[in-house]
Structure formats: C-alpha cells, structure tokens
Amino acid sequence: MSIRHTTTGRRALAAASLAAVFSLALTGCGDDGGGEAKQGGENSANPSEPATPPTEEKGEQQPDTAAGENVDPNAKLAEIRGDGLVMTIHQAKRDSGGFITLQASIKNEGTQSKNTTAWAGTETALLAKNPNSVAGATLVDKVGKKRYYILRDTENRCLCTTGIPPLLAGKTTSVFMQFPAPPETTTEVDFTLPTFATTSVKISG
C-alpha cells in the first residue's frame, strides 16, 4: 500500500478553515422540521478544479490522506462491507475545534480492481471540487435527530481524503473525514458511506 500522508500543515489548514466552515452551518448540518437534516448549498458553486491536485508517483495517483496522529491501525471501532470491500473504522475523535475526525482504512478483498468514485456522493458542488474522495460520508445522531455532512470550506473543498485511485485487488487505502461535532451528550453516531452498509460508531475524546 502506497499512501502519502499530509503534513501538520493539512491540520493547520483544517483548523483555519473551521471559521469559514461554521459560517456555512446550514450546509454541514441542519434540521428540516422532521428531525432529518437537509443538505444545502448544492448549487452554490460552479464546477472547478479538484480540491487537492493528484500527486504523481511512479505513474500512480496517490490519495490525499490525513496523518492520523496517535491512531492505532489495529484499533477497530467498527467494520463494514460493501461491493467486495471491507472498511475498518479505527477512530472517531471529538476535537477541541468543534468537529469530529474519523480515521479508517478500506481494503479490497476481491480479485478485481474497484472504482472509488461513488464514495464522493451525489451532491453537485462536492463532486465538482472533490472527485475521487470520501465526501459522500455522513454521521447521524439518532438521539438528536440530526444528520451531519462532511465539513467544507467556502469553496466547497471537503475536509476529507481526496484523489483516491481505483483500489487494486488485495490493496488497502487509509482515509479520513471531518464532520461538525454533535452535542457533548451524544457519544454514538451512525456512519454511512456510499456502497457500504451503515454502522454505529462510538465517539472518543
């Protein structure tokens, strides 16, 4: 597995983006009156270049991946399957900045390469800025009846792994996602990513 880890500058960028991100709170999360949050801002930006240009290394496109500081790769909060892939969630940590960082790895257990484009979801603005990403992931607080979407900056660049190439047979890729944090009283959420089953995840931190 060949993975390029971002530096602490990526973390700094994420923190610096939060001020702008929270001004878009209705985009990240909200309430539609029936308890389910709406996903807004779908047509708020015109298509442009990907958020993180792919890095070429030996002819292969490498994903943009969080450093995963202090994350135990053997930790397993949950394991979910879909389309011949298995996703292991290692950590869902509540950070002081008011967001949750989820760290996971995805392995192709099949014998054929798997396309990763579906993980970006279907929202037009996110697809335009974050192709081949995990921008389609969501968290659901069943107690608070809220759905939380991937954090993004004012240009709809997601705070998540981008530039993920097709996953070859037997290979594993690491991914991260950042979401607005639910209330402190919420200790467990449901996690979803297109093509995978839904699973409950305990929040740490």
Side-chain angles (χ1 to χ4, degrees):
M1 172 180 66
S2 176
I3 300 172
R4 179 179 61 82
H5 293 294
T6 57
T7 63
T8 53
R10 173 72 178 182
R11 284 288 193 182
L13 174 61
S17 300
L18 285 176
V21 170
F22 287 125
S23 70
L24 301 176
L26 290 178
T27 302
C29 62
D31 197 322
D32 64 3
E36 190 78 2
K38 291 182 178 179
Q39 186 167 356
E42 187 167 338
N43 298 312
S44 61
N46 294 323
S48 185
E49 297 179 0
T52 42
T55 298
E56 296 297 328
E57 180 179 328
K58 296 182 180 180
E60 294 185 1
Q61 181 180 345
Q62 301 300 317
D64 177 21
T65 312
E69 298 174 4
N70 302 319
V71 175
D72 180 1
N74 296 315
K76 185 188 294 186
L77 290 183
E79 187 176 275
I80 50 179
R81 296 176 181 273
D83 192 28
L85 303 170
V86 57
M87 180 176 189
T88 302
I89 299 174
H90 304 295
Q91 185 182 78
K93 184 178 180 181
R94 188 187 299 272
D95 294 304
S96 59
F99 54 93
I100 287 177
T101 301
L102 188 145
Q103 301 275 356
S105 58
I106 303 173
K107 181 177 182 179
N108 182 355
E109 293 189 324
T111 58
Q112 296 181 341
S113 176
K114 294 292 184 178
N115 199 317
T116 63
T117 56
W119 301 344
T122 58
E123 187 184 345
T124 303
L126 281 179
L127 280 172
K129 292 283 186 171
N130 309 281
N132 300 102
S133 69
V134 286
T138 64
L139 297 181
V140 175
D141 176 3
K142 291 188 293 186
V143 176
K145 298 182 179 179
K146 292 277 188 179
R147 183 183 299 274
Y148 296 89
Y149 295 88
I150 288 283
L151 284 170
R152 65 193 77 177
D153 63 18
T154 54
E155 295 184 353
N156 279 316
R157 294 184 174 92
C158 76
L159 300 185
C160 68
T161 303
T162 62
I164 307 172
L167 192 56
L168 301 179
K171 299 299 183 180
T172 302
T173 187
S174 296
V175 295
F176 86 100
M177 294 144 268
Q178 291 182 324
F179 305 87
E184 294 282 348
T185 52
T186 298
T187 59
E188 189 169 308
V189 290
D190 280 355
F191 170 81
T192 62
L193 181 68
T195 76
F196 288 93
T198 299
T199 187
S200 293
V201 175
K202 290 186 178 180
I203 301 172
S204 63

